[in-house]
Amino acid sequence: MTLGTEDCQAQLAAARQRADEPYVACVTTQAADTSAVPDQAALWAARQVWRTPAWCDDHGVANAWYIDRTRGCGIFRAKLTVRDARTGREIGGITYLITGYHFTARDARTWAYQVQLMEVSRWGTGVSGTTVSGSASCTGKCKVRSSDFPRQAITANKEPFGQFFMDTTINTAARNQKGTGTSVASWRFANPAWATPSNSTRLATTDVRCDNALPGTTRQVGCVNPGYIPVVSYSTTGPWPELAKHIRYAQDTRRLPGKFGTSRYLTRLTDTAKIKKNRKKACPSSRPRPAGKSCDEYPFASTWQGARTGDGKYSWRMINETQNTEGGRALNGFYTYSRILEKDKFLVWIR
């Protein structure tokens, strides 16, 4: 998740020993990061840049990753400096932007990563004819499946890019496996006038988590960005208004956790025995059900904040039976769609 450089001073000192190689290039950064995959052959057939989400540009040059559940994007500042190998004096350079973009899918074991470099300005000597090339690595439970960052020119009109694919290395032969991995792109600049290529610049993605631990999916592997907190939404004017109104009451009046816009998260519970105990405590069979009604509980029985597994604070209400049943199915669909595993956090937005 950081944008880093190797030490330039050793490279500069070594170049000073070679009188016939007058220039050395050093890359520095101006700021640090703070924070279904398409078919590979099809994507590379014409070798073109993958389009980034609109919200990537909306955030601007923030030197940080922004993520949703399956995508991450960020724009970072960087600088290439050319120095005289004999004196160490800066004689030229290029400032450029790096757009990083990675994406995966809820039903794939692979994710993709792209870096694109855009020149902002250049000055001085020793920069004309500069090219760049790179590679990728992966840390954690992952490996590089393929890497494509050939040598390309960088100019005001040419934006070089690299594209990579990563595979999870979790043991999919076993049940309930999960693991995170981080992709790292690195690149070096080169120029015929320089003593050596530049030192390496690196940009790492946020963590990507892959698993086969989603209940009810028979070991299907999928990947998500675990740093993104998913949100399930219900509307008071939608198909389940009584359910939505109960949740709003529980969040606003009873001050129960899970409200969108707060950090009082709900965390998923997958143990069916514990879920039944939560439901039994909040909505015991002894509680009378009017005709056409059923007992709804909040926080959801399928969370660790439920009536029994939580702190003892909960809300119950008799609501329309059909709305209760269908709203519960929607919650289970949300769990599956967002690959929410045991103790994963999420929030509830009432519109």
Side-chain angles (χ1 to χ4, degrees), residues 153-174:
I154 180 169
T155 70
N157 299 314
K158 295 181 179 179
E159 300 177 2
F161 61 95
Q163 295 172 332
F164 321 101
F165 283 89
M166 313 291 164
D167 272 351
T168 181
T169 56
I170 63 171
N171 178 17
T172 56

Side-chain angles (χ1 to χ4, degrees), residues 15-339:
R16 285 173 179 162
Q17 306 302 315
R18 297 186 291 272
D20 59 332
E21 297 176 322
Y23 303 146
V24 63
C26 300
V27 180
T28 59
T29 60
Q30 295 177 323
D33 177 12
T34 58
S35 60
V37 178
D39 177 73
Q40 172 186 328
L43 285 174
W44 283 357
R47 196 170 197 280
Q48 58 186 5
V49 173
W50 304 330
R51 182 178 298 177
T52 57
W55 44 262
C56 192
D57 291 333
D58 291 344
H59 286 298
V61 187
N63 300 298
W65 284 103
Y66 291 89
I67 62 174
D68 62 18
R69 196 62 169 170
T70 57
R71 298 173 297 172
C73 194
I75 304 176
F76 306 81
R77 296 184 182 91
K79 179 181 178 182
L80 167 71
T81 302
V82 181
R83 298 183 182 274
D84 187 297
R86 292 179 292 273
T87 66
R89 182 175 61 88
E90 182 178 314
I91 59 172
I94 299 174
T95 58
Y96 64 100
L97 299 179
I98 308 160
T99 299
Y101 175 44
H102 65 94
F103 58 98
T104 186
R106 299 168 178 86
D107 57 356
R109 58 179 300 152
T110 298
W111 68 92
Y113 181 28
Q114 172 181 276
V115 291
Q116 183 179 10
L117 314 183
M118 181 180 72
E119 180 177 316
V120 176
S121 63
R122 61 171 60 196
W123 71 96
T125 59
V127 292
S128 179
T130 298
T131 59
V132 62
S133 62
S135 61
S137 60
C138 206
T139 61
K141 289 289 187 177
C142 58
K143 64 181 179 180
V144 179
R145 176 197 284 187
S146 49
S147 175
D148 180 53
F149 198 162
R151 187 158 299 284
Q152 301 156 78
I154 180 169
T155 70
N157 299 314
K158 295 181 179 179
E159 300 177 2
F161 61 95
Q163 295 172 332
F164 321 101
F165 283 89
M166 313 291 164
D167 272 351
T168 181
T169 56
I170 63 171
N171 178 17
T172 56
R175 293 181 180 275
N176 297 320
Q177 301 297 299
K178 64 179 179 179
T180 58
T182 305
S183 312
V184 184
S186 61
W187 56 94
R188 293 178 185 268
F189 295 91
N191 191 295
W194 299 349
T196 63
S198 73
N199 54 307
S200 178
T201 298
R202 299 178 297 274
L203 180 64
T205 64
T206 59
D207 286 343
V208 176
R209 184 189 72 194
C210 300
D211 75 88
N212 65 352
L214 191 63
T217 57
T218 62
R219 302 196 197 183
Q220 180 194 67
V221 180
C223 303
V224 296
N225 296 322
Y228 179 82
I229 307 300
V231 179
V232 61
S233 178
Y234 294 101
S235 173
T236 56
T237 59
W240 315 300
E242 291 187 21
L243 174 66
K245 289 175 183 177
H246 177 215
I247 296 173
R248 172 171 287 176
Y249 163 80
Q251 291 179 343
D252 292 348
T253 303
R254 299 291 304 277
R255 306 298 182 188
L256 297 177
K259 184 175 181 178
F260 175 66
T262 73
S263 58
R264 299 179 64 208
Y265 305 113
L266 298 178
T267 51
R268 188 180 181 187
L269 171 65
T270 59
D271 185 308
T272 55
K274 288 184 171 65
I275 292 172
K276 288 180 181 179
K277 290 178 180 179
N278 278 341
R279 189 168 288 122
K280 184 177 180 180
K281 181 174 181 179
C283 294
S285 58
S286 59
R287 203 183 301 279
R289 271 74 165 166
K293 300 283 187 177
S294 66
C295 183
D296 179 50
E297 76 283 342
Y298 187 87
F300 307 121
S302 55
T303 68
W304 280 95
Q305 292 71 35
R308 182 170 292 278
T309 55
D311 60 6
K313 297 178 181 178
Y314 60 93
S315 176
W316 65 271
R317 178 181 291 184
M318 296 297 168
I319 67 171
N320 178 277
E321 185 174 14
T322 300
Q323 292 186 29
N324 200 1
T325 299
E326 292 182 354
R329 288 180 183 147
L331 179 64
N332 286 327
F334 163 74
Y335 287 154
T336 300
Y337 184 74
S338 298
R339 293 201 76 88

